[in-house]
Amino acid sequence: MPPVPLSSASTRRGSRRAERWEGDARRLERALRAAIEGDVRFDAGARGAYATDASNYRQVPIGVVAPRSADDVLAALAACRDIGAPVLSRGAGTSLAGQCCNVALVLDFSRYLNNVLDVDADARLARVEPGVVLDDLNRSALRRGLRFAPDPATHSRCTIGGMIGNNACGVRSLKWGKTVDNVHALQVATYDGAVMDVGATSPEQLARIIAGSGRQAALYTALRDLRDVSGELVRSRFPRMPRRVSGYNLDQLLDEAGFHVARALVGTEGTCAAVLEATVELVIEPAARAMVVLAFPDIIDAADAVPQVLEHDPSGLEGIDATVIASLARKAQHAAARRLLPAGGGWLLVELDGDDAYDVQQRAQALAAQSPPQTSLVLLSPDGQQDLWRMREAGLAAAAHSPGQPMSWSGWEDSAVAPELLGGYLRDLRELLGAYGYTGSIYGHFGDGCLHTRTDFDLRTTEGVARFRGFIEQAADLVTSHGGSLSGEHGDGQARGELLDVMFGPELVDMFRRFKAAWDPGGGMNPGKVIDAAPLDADLRLGDAYRPWEPATRLAFREDGGSLSRATLRCVGVGECRKTTSGVMCPSFMATRDEIHSTRGRARLLFEMLEGDPVRGGWRDEHVEDALSLCLSCKACKTECPVGVDMAAYKAEFLSHRYEGRIRPAAAYSIGLIPFWARLASRAPGLANRALGAPGIGPLLKRLAGIHSRRRPPRFAAQTLSRSLGSPPAAAGGRPVALWLDTFVEHFQPEVGRAALTVLTAAGNDVHAVRGQACCGRPLYEFGMLDAARRFLERALDALEPSLAEGAEVVVLEPSCAAMFRDELGELLPRDGRVKLLARRTVTLAELLIRNDYSPPPLDREIIVQRHCHSQAVIGYDADAELLSRLGAQIEVLDSGCCGMAGSFGYERGKYDVSVAIAERALIPAVRAAQRDTLILADGFSCRSQIADLAGREA
């Protein structure tokens, strides 16, 4: 394999700055390893994974530390001071203005410093570590009827420290304010090693602190002097509007704000100090909520109606345009929510809340009856409201990568004006976009006057980047002419930092500079962001130097124009894969909380591999293989990731090249070739089972096969399903159905296949079992043996061709096989004319029975259901849910995510502990807690094996 050419990305400003630290980085790494308990990573993989956030910017860090304690943070700061290295505090890394990437030592607070330390219900305060996720805090608070009010769309993964850094807002900031309005006190550390508790400061306290000695006395003296000299400027020049997030919060130092030093630090984006601990204020969770959906001909009409809607005292008021809805439709996402929307071209989602459900309902009806909406809808159901909020939260990613549309980017994504001026500002902004030939989606927090948009900037050519800069400069002039803010939520970072003069004027910006100097006189905290920021068109992730390696691929990458590099651009950093309590994606991150083992981390490393710096090994790169090693190929990211990153496909492609002409790990031959071994064992299944279970031979065979010693291999059936069926029966005259006999039904659990035949026949089908070809190639695919997988699929098509010709549906019992026929088949054989027909005709047992309008016999039992990952990601579970509902049983469908077995994954040496950790998150505790007469239902062979192995229950 030829070496990967280094792209000219190595000449970028950020990369050049990284190079100056190469000598001292080794000394810094040694010092950190000797001083802290947390993780220390200076390898190319970690640096590549943290080189960007959710913005347009890319700067390769010096190294990455995940501290386990405040002492670790202080030791890291001391080590950086020793060589003068800058420091970047990071939470979930979802920032959109570039404030979470820098040529610095990254302190990732999210992995370990993520605990709720105390919730004081009486005082309505919570004390937390900076890496705690917002949803985790609210789970603790809601048990006491309270919540932390700011609720950005990233609530499932954003951290409180990150929210403090960015001054995060969200839907309900309309009622409860921004993060700055909900912070009570902070414990912070400065670059020079001082630790102090800060909060509101009475005049007496301020005088006492200043009269003392040491760093805090000097700091507070500087802040008091700054207040005295800047107070009138702040009062006269700060925009009077809800969503002024740009600049530093000097208004919090004013007498009328109580000289609140903690709140003055909110929104400083890690440029002044590192947060060690936060005490935040909580609000009472309302007893009732209603949603009113107002539809308008156009999003500008919706913006014009905002002042009238605000008269109804909503707790949330969001706008969304037809472009976002069309993008979601092209992706087939949020269908239930889209169906709820009344006809229109722009919508307002209005939330009303209160203590009395009847009163809230009456207010909602009154708003819905009011003109000028074209049409309206009142939603009282919490489920319906939640569906619409989730759809709204998907706005950023929906617009970022829409099938058949140009890619769109942040850059001018969260400007804000006073709500009563929103319609006029939006008209002018749309005119400016048109003048530049840009299009973009429009959505946002309309009740606060905050506008989000993703724009189809050209960030890959010199002309395109110049036009991008010109547009941003004119947009800054536009929003300030409306008395608005450059940023209404996402902060300044690098995207807007150099434009602060336009908004505030040079005198106030100099006051900001003095504020930073008081905290960070040496400039070691996140330099080049907010104040004295790097140019907004420097350090771009793409830019005119972006010329990635474009290798030939074995998969078609049909939705990305055949390009792996374009596929890696799907990941825009929203971090949905970092959630840890619901859904399937990403099981390995849920178990490890390691950025590198998230879908985003892997996508970033593949991007860096194609860039060639710092990840330089191409297909043979060890860092990329390490990141992909814990990918379970669950495929959840293909649907749960709002931009459709398909990491299972990227992993298969990578492994196919990495091991080209090389010996693969043992498990690839033992489990990847399971169809071959199963056919061989079927000649003497008893002997095979005895050998695998024998005290001496069994452990040896497992070692040779790369299987973990604690795993019990599945037992081969005494007779294959094909042999037990005998000769094919004569046609019965019903609907033609071909039953696919996969490897596991054929060789391990033939009773499943016999039961399916019985039920299918009883439902009026003429069933024919497809024999002689018992594998779809899934095990080979997941080990990257793509040429072999393609041959298996060609044989499968040959075997199924007669059934397809007679119009038969193909029933596939194993979800991973059904997913293979519906998805990967087209990627491996894009030019085979039979592919689309088989994908269209492939059905699950439940899907066919629902089409048959089959009603199963009633069953008065409790059933716990574990859904297979591929069922959720590719196939869908609606038919299964409907069929189960017809049983009349008591059904509990677990939100447990992946079972952790995932085909071969849970069997492999080196992956057992992660496999168990994934299962123990929700699935296995639920099975253990179930009554012995509760049925455990799992449609995947892997899931059933995991349940048997870890819980001792037959599913």
Side-chain angles (χ1 to χ4, degrees), residues 67-82:
R68 288 183 179 270
S69 65
D71 287 342
D72 275 359
V73 177
L74 297 176
L77 289 170
C80 287
R81 283 198 304 277
D82 187 48

PDB file of all heavy atoms in Angstrom, residues 67-82:
ATOM      1  N   PRO A  67      -9.045  14.487  33.838  1.00  0.00           N
ATOM      2  CA  PRO A  67      -8.736  14.494  35.269  1.00  0.00           C
ATOM      3  C   PRO A  67      -9.779  13.724  36.071  1.00  0.00           C
ATOM      4  O   PRO A  67     -10.960  13.731  35.744  1.00  0.00           O
ATOM      5  CB  PRO A  67      -8.751  15.985  35.619  1.00  0.00           C
ATOM      6  CG  PRO A  67      -9.624  16.623  34.580  1.00  0.00           C
ATOM      7  CD  PRO A  67      -9.455  15.812  33.337  1.00  0.00           C
ATOM      8  N   ARG A  68      -9.310  13.084  37.153  1.00  0.00           N
ATOM      9  CA  ARG A  68     -10.202  12.360  38.057  1.00  0.00           C
ATOM     10  C   ARG A  68     -10.576  13.187  39.284  1.00  0.00           C
ATOM     11  O   ARG A  68     -11.464  12.784  40.041  1.00  0.00           O
ATOM     12  CB  ARG A  68      -9.551  11.052  38.512  1.00  0.00           C
ATOM     13  CG  ARG A  68      -9.468   9.988  37.427  1.00  0.00           C
ATOM     14  CD  ARG A  68      -8.880   8.703  37.987  1.00  0.00           C
ATOM     15  NE  ARG A  68      -8.811   7.655  36.973  1.00  0.00           N
ATOM     16  CZ  ARG A  68      -9.789   6.776  36.728  1.00  0.00           C
ATOM     17  NH1 ARG A  68     -10.902   6.818  37.436  1.00  0.00           N
ATOM     18  NH2 ARG A  68      -9.638   5.861  35.803  1.00  0.00           N
ATOM     19  N   SER A  69      -9.914  14.306  39.506  1.00  0.00           N
ATOM     20  CA  SER A  69     -10.145  15.095  40.713  1.00  0.00           C
ATOM     21  C   SER A  69      -9.708  16.527  40.467  1.00  0.00           C
ATOM     22  O   SER A  69      -9.014  16.833  39.484  1.00  0.00           O
ATOM     23  CB  SER A  69      -9.351  14.518  41.883  1.00  0.00           C
ATOM     24  OG  SER A  69      -7.945  14.650  41.619  1.00  0.00           O
ATOM     25  N   ALA A  70     -10.105  17.406  41.403  1.00  0.00           N
ATOM     26  CA  ALA A  70      -9.643  18.787  41.336  1.00  0.00           C
ATOM     27  C   ALA A  70      -8.124  18.854  41.467  1.00  0.00           C
ATOM     28  O   ALA A  70      -7.473  19.707  40.849  1.00  0.00           O
ATOM     29  CB  ALA A  70     -10.315  19.607  42.432  1.00  0.00           C
ATOM     30  N   ASP A  71      -7.558  17.947  42.259  1.00  0.00           N
ATOM     31  CA  ASP A  71      -6.093  17.921  42.396  1.00  0.00           C
ATOM     32  C   ASP A  71      -5.431  17.633  41.050  1.00  0.00           C
ATOM     33  O   ASP A  71      -4.371  18.193  40.736  1.00  0.00           O
ATOM     34  CB  ASP A  71      -5.676  16.871  43.426  1.00  0.00           C
ATOM     35  CG  ASP A  71      -5.984  17.294  44.854  1.00  0.00           C
ATOM     36  OD1 ASP A  71      -6.200  18.500  45.082  1.00  0.00           O
ATOM     37  OD2 ASP A  71      -6.024  16.411  45.734  1.00  0.00           O
ATOM     38  N   ASP A  72      -6.043  16.757  40.268  1.00  0.00           N
ATOM     39  CA  ASP A  72      -5.509  16.491  38.927  1.00  0.00           C
ATOM     40  C   ASP A  72      -5.524  17.761  38.075  1.00  0.00           C
ATOM     41  O   ASP A  72      -4.582  18.033  37.313  1.00  0.00           O
ATOM     42  CB  ASP A  72      -6.327  15.407  38.230  1.00  0.00           C
ATOM     43  CG  ASP A  72      -5.890  14.004  38.588  1.00  0.00           C
ATOM     44  OD1 ASP A  72      -4.937  13.860  39.368  1.00  0.00           O
ATOM     45  OD2 ASP A  72      -6.513  13.038  38.086  1.00  0.00           O
ATOM     46  N   VAL A  73      -6.602  18.535  38.176  1.00  0.00           N
ATOM     47  CA  VAL A  73      -6.698  19.771  37.395  1.00  0.00           C
ATOM     48  C   VAL A  73      -5.577  20.725  37.792  1.00  0.00           C
ATOM     49  O   VAL A  73      -4.894  21.309  36.936  1.00  0.00           O
ATOM     50  CB  VAL A  73      -8.072  20.436  37.595  1.00  0.00           C
ATOM     51  CG1 VAL A  73      -8.136  21.759  36.824  1.00  0.00           C
ATOM     52  CG2 VAL A  73      -9.193  19.503  37.136  1.00  0.00           C
ATOM     53  N   LEU A  74      -5.375  20.875  39.085  1.00  0.00           N
ATOM     54  CA  LEU A  74      -4.333  21.789  39.564  1.00  0.00           C
ATOM     55  C   LEU A  74      -2.950  21.311  39.148  1.00  0.00           C
ATOM     56  O   LEU A  74      -2.082  22.122  38.774  1.00  0.00           O
ATOM     57  CB  LEU A  74      -4.421  21.927  41.083  1.00  0.00           C
ATOM     58  CG  LEU A  74      -5.720  22.551  41.603  1.00  0.00           C
ATOM     59  CD1 LEU A  74      -5.741  22.540  43.126  1.00  0.00           C
ATOM     60  CD2 LEU A  74      -5.884  23.970  41.078  1.00  0.00           C
ATOM     61  N   ALA A  75      -2.729  19.988  39.200  1.00  0.00           N
ATOM     62  CA  ALA A  75      -1.430  19.451  38.771  1.00  0.00           C
ATOM     63  C   ALA A  75      -1.213  19.676  37.282  1.00  0.00           C
ATOM     64  O   ALA A  75      -0.091  19.971  36.837  1.00  0.00           O
ATOM     65  CB  ALA A  75      -1.353  17.966  39.114  1.00  0.00           C
ATOM     66  N   ALA A  76      -2.291  19.541  36.488  1.00  0.00           N
ATOM     67  CA  ALA A  76      -2.173  19.776  35.045  1.00  0.00           C
ATOM     68  C   ALA A  76      -1.854  21.239  34.772  1.00  0.00           C
ATOM     69  O   ALA A  76      -1.006  21.555  33.915  1.00  0.00           O
ATOM     70  CB  ALA A  76      -3.464  19.365  34.345  1.00  0.00           C
ATOM     71  N   LEU A  77      -2.503  22.155  35.480  1.00  0.00           N
ATOM     72  CA  LEU A  77      -2.205  23.575  35.309  1.00  0.00           C
ATOM     73  C   LEU A  77      -0.750  23.876  35.677  1.00  0.00           C
ATOM     74  O   LEU A  77      -0.058  24.631  34.982  1.00  0.00           O
ATOM     75  CB  LEU A  77      -3.154  24.414  36.165  1.00  0.00           C
ATOM     76  CG  LEU A  77      -4.610  24.470  35.712  1.00  0.00           C
ATOM     77  CD1 LEU A  77      -5.483  25.117  36.781  1.00  0.00           C
ATOM     78  CD2 LEU A  77      -4.739  25.238  34.400  1.00  0.00           C
ATOM     79  N   ALA A  78      -0.270  23.255  36.759  1.00  0.00           N
ATOM     80  CA  ALA A  78       1.116  23.481  37.175  1.00  0.00           C
ATOM     81  C   ALA A  78       2.088  22.986  36.118  1.00  0.00           C
ATOM     82  O   ALA A  78       3.089  23.652  35.809  1.00  0.00           O
ATOM     83  CB  ALA A  78       1.373  22.792  38.516  1.00  0.00           C
ATOM     84  N   ALA A  79       1.820  21.824  35.564  1.00  0.00           N
ATOM     85  CA  ALA A  79       2.710  21.274  34.532  1.00  0.00           C
ATOM     86  C   ALA A  79       2.721  22.166  33.297  1.00  0.00           C
ATOM     87  O   ALA A  79       3.773  22.368  32.666  1.00  0.00           O
ATOM     88  CB  ALA A  79       2.264  19.861  34.173  1.00  0.00           C
ATOM     89  N   CYS A  80       1.550  22.709  32.937  1.00  0.00           N
ATOM     90  CA  CYS A  80       1.494  23.597  31.779  1.00  0.00           C
ATOM     91  C   CYS A  80       2.234  24.904  32.047  1.00  0.00           C
ATOM     92  O   CYS A  80       2.910  25.442  31.159  1.00  0.00           O
ATOM     93  CB  CYS A  80       0.036  23.866  31.398  1.00  0.00           C
ATOM     94  SG  CYS A  80      -0.775  22.464  30.616  1.00  0.00           S
ATOM     95  N   ARG A  81       2.091  25.418  33.265  1.00  0.00           N
ATOM     96  CA  ARG A  81       2.813  26.656  33.598  1.00  0.00           C
ATOM     97  C   ARG A  81       4.320  26.476  33.452  1.00  0.00           C
ATOM     98  O   ARG A  81       5.047  27.393  33.057  1.00  0.00           O
ATOM     99  CB  ARG A  81       2.505  27.083  35.041  1.00  0.00           C
ATOM    100  CG  ARG A  81       1.184  27.737  35.245  1.00  0.00           C
ATOM    101  CD  ARG A  81       1.142  28.505  36.565  1.00  0.00           C
ATOM    102  NE  ARG A  81       1.464  27.696  37.732  1.00  0.00           N
ATOM    103  CZ  ARG A  81       0.609  26.919  38.387  1.00  0.00           C
ATOM    104  NH1 ARG A  81      -0.644  26.832  37.960  1.00  0.00           N
ATOM    105  NH2 ARG A  81       0.982  26.249  39.459  1.00  0.00           N
ATOM    106  N   ASP A  82       4.785  25.287  33.763  1.00  0.00           N
ATOM    107  CA  ASP A  82       6.221  25.030  33.748  1.00  0.00           C
ATOM    108  C   ASP A  82       6.820  25.238  32.365  1.00  0.00           C
ATOM    109  O   ASP A  82       7.977  25.651  32.246  1.00  0.00           O
ATOM    110  CB  ASP A  82       6.489  23.612  34.252  1.00  0.00           C
ATOM    111  CG  ASP A  82       7.968  23.328  34.424  1.00  0.00           C
ATOM    112  OD1 ASP A  82       8.657  24.179  35.032  1.00  0.00           O
ATOM    113  OD2 ASP A  82       8.440  22.273  33.946  1.00  0.00           O
TER     114      ASP A  82
END
